[in-house]
Amino acid sequence: MCCQSSGQWKNSAQQPQESAAPRRHIHGLGLWTQILILTTILLTVIQMQTVAAIGVGDSLSGVRQSCSNEGEEVQLKNQPQIFACFKCECQNGFVNCRDTCPPVNDCYILDKSNGTCCRRCKGCTFRGMSYESGSEWSDPEDPCKTYKCVATVVTETVQKCYSQCDNNQLQPPRPGECCPTCQGCKINGQTVAEGQEVDASIDDRCLVCQCRGNQLTCSKKTCPVLPCPMSKQTKRPDECCPRCPQNHSFLPVPGKCLFNKSVYPEKTQFMPDRCTNCTCLNGTSVCQRPTCPILECAPEFQEPDGCCPRCAVAEVRSECSLDGVIYQNNETWEMGPCRSCLCNGGTIRCAQMRCPPVKCRANEELKQPAGECCRRCVETAGTCTVFGDPHFRTFDGKFFSFQGSCKYLLASDCLGKTFHIRLTNEGRGTRRSSWAKTVTLNLRNLKVNLGQRMRVKVNGTRVTLPYLGVAGGQNVTIERLADGEAVMLRSEMGLTLEWNGAGFLQVSVPAKFKQRLCGLCGNFNGSSRDDLTGKDGRSHGDDEVWHFANSWKVGGPKSCSRKREFLAATPTCDKRKSNFYCHPLSVPALFGECHERLNPENYKAACRMDVCECPSGDCHCDSFAAYAHECRRLGIQLPDWRGATNCPGGWRHNATLSSFKGNHFYGDPSFNRFKGRRQKNHQLRLQLQEQRTKQGHKGRHKPGHNQNQNQNQLDKPGHRLDKDQLDKEFFLKHVPSSILYSRAPDRTPPPLH
């Protein structure tokens, strides 16, 4: 996450203070006792600090920065040096920053004097050359002798070679390598992918095979010597070697080696265990440790023999038994996509694929493909959302609003012509607003119409759900979701439509449709900057949404519910009214769990627009539902916000202010108070409505004298709300003069002769 700093950077680790060791001669003590005391004092001076292994050891307080260009990298300017270790991009309306420093999760000794903002594991110096922690290399004169640097410790060993293939498939070692290779990357009959590593035996995780250039090489190396105490080391069941899970920062001690809890002077020799010999050279502990031989027997038939185990005498059999199944000697079989086994002299040897650590980008998700062993990052599906009066969120994350009341091309495969989706909007008797009425999907030979109240037609015939159809040889299913609030259409090609029958629509397409789409939902090319591209290929700005959207209009004049569109007209109303209805989106108890993942500002703006001209009285609920739906898609569970806000699901219901006025989650309802002339007009309307109600109860439907009198008072120039004047002012303010034309004054037509 990225913040706009509102405070000071705070270093979570205090730097140790240097202290000079005492130089006074200590009388009455032996030489070794003096050395022991001085070593103890030196260790006391060293300040060991444990820090969490979560990246940079600094913290930032501030406010999350909003952004609009979804998916784009955000450049941070005039920020502290620490930001050089972060890469930031716009995600879900927020600037999200991730640490680009190399991981230091298993480093016991950190080096914070490297001149960069990243914490790094302290490296090694060997024969006059510097190596980063984790580096491995071979002796130029003896390729079988290998070295590995781990946090100021170099481990020297001689690797052991292993082969599972027949001699006729065995190839000599490559130049500069130690072990021979097997032609073809197969182990126990299972194919190993290029570059993939395999544990050749789950009983000996240190025996590793790797495929390179369609050749399999298997070898075993000893575990590197670790600088942390044995009590601090941990080992996972599926790994060969232990780790040092804690990070520590030490005061540098020039010319000396820090190992476990001891400090060793230059050229001092020491033995961490009975099988390892170490020497302190140039501040690096250089250790020799033998690699144990590769054993063909199972662990239960092994016995200790000095530093390494050996095989005890065991009966050699010609078959193996596993879960009641008998396998003959040298027979192989697979146990899923990750494991394969071999019967070897009555002993079962199983190989296990190694899965490398994977870190996905913002537009990717970790998935387990069918039939594959390891999870991998795949591009997320593109999602376009339509809700409210209609507001659009394109496949690439661009938000815009458009209140046209006609039929439009929402999304289409403009390259492959496999599908297109049309959206029909309805004005519902309003002057400037509209809502999605129906959705039509053409998928090869199948035409699906999703109508109001979740009615579904296929090729012109109404169908009951669930429905199974075929389009171009691919299955298409339509069903109601478990909660009953929406209809879900799924196709084998990966296209899905979710429609609630009351204006909410979400279209999802797989990543294979990138840069193939067009329409109101954008082109799905990974950038939101060009999403407002019209049918003619011209890109429009945010102030030209009306021109962009109307370029995708389809159908004739009969497809429009209004004869005249109010160009670029944005409804405006009392700000206190929108604050009242839209306040629940800011309540932490309702949507706070999602505020850190999804920026609610676009949904608040949509809500403020919708409540200005709302024939049903509950239009604000559309924005709540759209925000909650997106939160759920991100994996965030919200409380029962519908019950708390009195926004029931399904088909919309006519609501009044009283439906929400007493709810403490809403804002200040004082906008409903009238003053001056507005108050008098409001009272006259109430009186007129009351008289009509009484007359209706008495069976008289003709207006009386008092009614006419009150209506005349409303129609007087002094009391009348001049809507024409308001419209004129709005047009002069918001509509370019180049597209306005003068209208002839109203006049009485000539009589017919």
Side-chain angles (χ1 to χ4, degrees):
M1 142 181 128
C2 178
C3 303
Q4 187 178 20
S5 178
S6 63
Q8 299 293 326
W9 288 88
K10 300 177 181 179
N11 197 328
S12 61
Q14 297 177 354
Q15 296 296 329
Q17 301 295 324
E18 295 186 1
S19 176
R23 297 183 180 179
R24 291 186 305 169
H25 181 70
I26 305 176
H27 298 281
L29 297 176
L31 177 61
W32 288 107
T33 305
Q34 295 180 33
I35 293 175
L36 179 62
I37 293 175
L38 290 175
T39 302
T40 305
I41 294 174
L42 183 59
L43 286 175
T44 304
V45 171
I46 297 175
Q47 301 294 319
M48 182 181 67
Q49 301 162 351
T50 303
V51 295
I54 56 173
V56 180
D58 298 289
S59 61
L60 178 67
S61 60
V63 179
R64 299 198 69 182
Q65 187 76 30
S66 298
C67 57
S68 57
N69 296 319
E70 193 74 12
E72 290 192 6
E73 184 176 351
V74 179
Q75 299 293 335
L76 300 174
K77 300 179 181 179
N78 302 323
Q79 297 291 351
Q81 176 64 26
I82 194 73
F83 271 117
C85 289
F86 288 92
K87 183 179 180 181
C88 303
E89 57 188 1
C90 185
Q91 186 178 8
N92 296 324
F94 284 126
V95 178
N96 268 353
C97 298
R98 56 185 176 88
D99 182 11
T100 58
C101 295
V104 291
N105 297 345
D106 301 313
C107 178
Y108 185 66
I109 301 178
L110 295 175
D111 182 11
K112 297 200 71 174
S113 61
N114 54 22
T116 68
C117 60
C118 293
R119 297 185 307 165
R120 296 184 182 273
C121 199
K122 194 167 180 61
C124 310
T125 302
F126 183 72
R127 294 179 182 175
M129 297 186 64
S130 297
Y131 297 90
E132 291 188 2
S133 181
S135 301
E136 291 188 66
W137 66 97
S138 300
D139 194 308
E141 299 179 358
D142 183 3
C144 293
K145 184 181 291 186
T146 63
Y147 304 89
K148 184 170 184 177
C149 168
V150 177
T152 73
V153 180
V154 171
T155 302
E156 176 187 330
T157 191
V158 177
Q159 61 181 319
K160 306 289 185 182
C161 298
Y162 178 76
S163 173
Q164 280 193 332
C165 60
D166 299 332
N167 291 333
N168 58 352
Q169 294 180 324
L170 200 62
Q171 304 290 325
R174 295 169 176 171
E177 295 186 1
C178 172
C179 298
T181 62
C182 291
Q183 188 66 31
C185 292
K186 283 194 174 183
I187 184 168
N188 299 341
Q190 193 171 34
T191 302
V192 182
E194 178 70 22
Q196 189 172 22
E197 291 186 344
V198 184
D199 292 335
S201 173
I202 59 175
D203 297 325
D204 187 357
R205 297 283 184 175
C206 295
L207 179 57
V208 181
C209 301
Q210 186 180 32
C211 175
R212 287 193 301 114
N214 198 33
Q215 292 185 340
L216 194 69
T217 306
C218 301
S219 64
K220 180 179 179 179
K221 301 175 187 177
T222 190
C223 290
V225 181
L226 301 180
C228 61
M230 291 288 295
S231 60
K232 301 293 185 181
Q233 298 179 15
T234 60
K235 183 177 178 297
R236 300 173 186 172
D238 59 343
E239 291 186 343
C240 165
C241 301
R243 301 167 177 260
C244 296
Q246 293 183 338
N247 303 147
H248 298 267
S249 295
F250 292 92
L251 184 71
V253 186
K256 293 181 174 57
C257 297
L258 243 114
F259 191 91
N260 291 351
K261 296 182 179 180
S262 303
V263 178
Y264 295 97
E266 177 74 9
K267 297 184 179 181
T268 302
Q269 296 184 352
F270 56 95
M271 293 183 65
D273 55 66
R274 63 191 181 99
C275 300
T276 306
N277 297 307
C278 299
T279 304
C280 178
L281 298 173
N282 296 322
T284 297
S285 300
V286 181
C287 303
Q288 292 82 31
R289 175 180 283 179
T291 297
C292 292
I294 301 168
L295 303 180
E296 296 288 347
C297 56
E300 56 266 26
F301 297 111
Q302 297 177 9
E303 61 183 13
D305 182 27
C307 294
C308 299
R310 67 178 181 181
C311 287
V313 178
E315 179 184 0
V316 178
R317 293 168 293 175
S318 61
E319 60 183 26
C320 305
S321 176
L322 177 66
D323 297 332
V325 180
I326 302 300
Y327 299 95
Q328 300 301 317
N329 194 36
N330 294 326
E331 185 178 356
T332 62
W333 65 96
E334 293 185 7
M335 298 182 65
C338 295
R339 181 174 293 188
S340 59
C341 299
L342 165 72
C343 178
N344 182 22
T347 301
I348 298 176
R349 294 178 62 89
C350 294
Q352 179 84 26
M353 300 284 182
R354 282 188 174 185
C355 294
V358 180
K359 189 174 183 180
C360 298
R361 294 179 297 179
N363 63 333
E364 296 177 333
E365 57 184 344
L366 202 59
K367 282 195 171 182
Q368 180 78 53
E372 295 186 17
C373 173
C374 301
R375 296 190 298 172
R376 55 188 175 92
C377 295
V378 296
E379 283 193 277
T380 54
T383 302
C384 177
T385 306
V386 183
F387 68 95
D389 179 15
H391 312 285
F392 298 80
R393 185 181 186 271
T394 66
F395 290 120
D396 292 323
K398 174 75 174 179
F399 266 92
F400 69 91
S401 299
F402 172 67
Q403 292 77 34
S405 64
C406 303
K407 184 184 292 186
Y408 307 91
L409 182 67
L410 183 69
S412 175
D413 179 9
C414 295
L415 189 63
K417 308 297 182 182
T418 56
F419 75 92
H420 67 261
I421 305 171
R422 293 182 174 182
L423 176 71
T424 302
N425 290 343
E426 182 186 26
R428 293 198 304 181
T430 62
R431 293 169 61 84
R432 298 188 178 95
S433 302
S434 63
W435 286 264
K437 180 182 179 182
T438 59
V439 183
T440 304
L441 167 67
N442 283 78
L443 187 62
R444 300 190 186 275
N445 62 319
L446 201 68
K447 182 177 180 181
V448 181
N449 182 272
L450 305 177
Q452 295 184 348
R453 300 181 184 270
M454 292 184 278
R455 297 186 180 98
V456 180
K457 289 183 179 181
V458 177
N459 293 334
T461 303
R462 186 172 177 181
V463 297
T464 57
L465 304 183
Y467 170 83
L468 175 63
V470 179
Q474 296 182 336
N475 291 331
V476 176
T477 61
I478 311 174
E479 60 183 352
R480 280 205 178 197
L481 296 180
D483 56 11
E485 292 188 4
V487 169
M488 178 68 77
L489 182 149
R490 296 183 177 91
S491 66
E492 274 192 277
M493 66 189 301
L495 172 70
T496 64
L497 276 74
E498 183 178 347
W499 167 252
N500 75 342
F504 177 85
L505 172 67
Q506 190 164 82
V507 181
S508 295
V509 293
K512 66 182 180 181
F513 284 101
K514 269 201 164 182
Q515 301 187 13
R516 292 175 51 177
L517 304 183
C518 61
L520 294 181
C521 284
N523 52 20
F524 192 29
N525 66 347
S527 173
S528 62
R529 289 186 179 270
D530 58 354
D531 275 355
L532 300 184
T533 300
K535 190 175 182 179
D536 57 357
R538 188 170 71 90
S539 183
H540 297 79
D542 291 340
D543 57 344
E544 298 177 307
V545 169
W546 187 87
H547 297 281
F548 153 74
N550 274 284
S551 72
W552 295 109
K553 184 188 295 185
V554 293
K558 293 183 178 180
S559 64
C560 302
S561 62
R562 277 194 296 257
K563 294 182 179 180
R564 177 188 177 189
E565 293 286 4
F566 288 81
L567 312 185
T570 301
T572 56
C573 62
D574 190 341
K575 186 180 295 185
R576 293 175 300 172
K577 179 180 179 180
S578 59
N579 289 341
F580 168 77
Y581 282 107
C582 303
H583 184 260
L585 274 173
S586 303
V587 177
L590 296 178
F591 300 101
E593 291 293 327
C594 193
H595 285 170
E596 288 297 315
R597 290 283 306 278
L598 179 64
N599 195 338
E601 292 305 318
N602 286 316
Y603 299 88
K604 291 179 182 178
C607 177
R608 288 192 289 267
M609 181 184 296
D610 290 359
V611 300
C612 290
E613 194 176 15
C614 178
S616 65
D618 63 350
C619 299
H620 59 286
C621 296
D622 294 340
S623 297
F624 299 173
Y627 186 74
H629 188 279
E630 191 66 16
C631 294
R632 187 167 61 251
R633 200 172 68 88
L634 294 174
I636 301 171
Q637 297 296 325
L638 296 176
D640 182 17
W641 64 270
R642 286 195 178 275
T645 59
N646 195 20
C647 287
W651 184 249
R652 63 176 70 251
H653 306 277
N654 289 330
T656 61
L657 177 62
S658 60
S659 304
F660 314 103
K661 191 173 182 179
N663 192 318
H664 67 279
F665 289 117
Y666 286 86
D668 182 10
S670 61
F671 73 91
N672 197 41
R673 299 173 184 173
F674 296 91
K675 296 181 179 180
R677 182 177 299 169
R678 294 178 61 197
Q679 182 179 11
K680 186 174 182 180
N681 290 337
H682 181 64
Q683 291 174 350
L684 289 173
R685 288 193 181 95
L686 292 178
Q687 293 175 7
L688 182 60
Q689 183 178 1
E690 184 179 0
Q691 291 178 8
R692 287 177 175 174
T693 303
K694 291 180 179 179
Q695 291 175 3
H697 289 165
K698 295 179 181 179
R700 295 195 301 266
H701 301 285
K702 296 181 180 181
H705 174 72
N706 292 336
Q707 178 183 347
N708 291 332
Q709 183 178 1
N710 289 331
Q711 184 64 45
N712 291 335
Q713 291 184 30
L714 283 175
D715 292 337
K716 288 181 180 179
H719 296 84
R720 182 177 173 183
L721 298 177
D722 195 354
K723 292 184 178 180
D724 294 336
Q725 181 65 25
L726 292 176
D727 289 343
K728 182 178 179 181
E729 292 177 357
F730 180 85
F731 273 90
L732 291 175
K733 182 178 180 181
H734 296 282
V735 181
S737 58
S738 59
I739 63 175
L740 292 177
Y741 59 90
S742 58
R743 185 180 66 176
D746 295 335
R747 62 173 181 257
T748 304
L752 296 176
H753 297 285

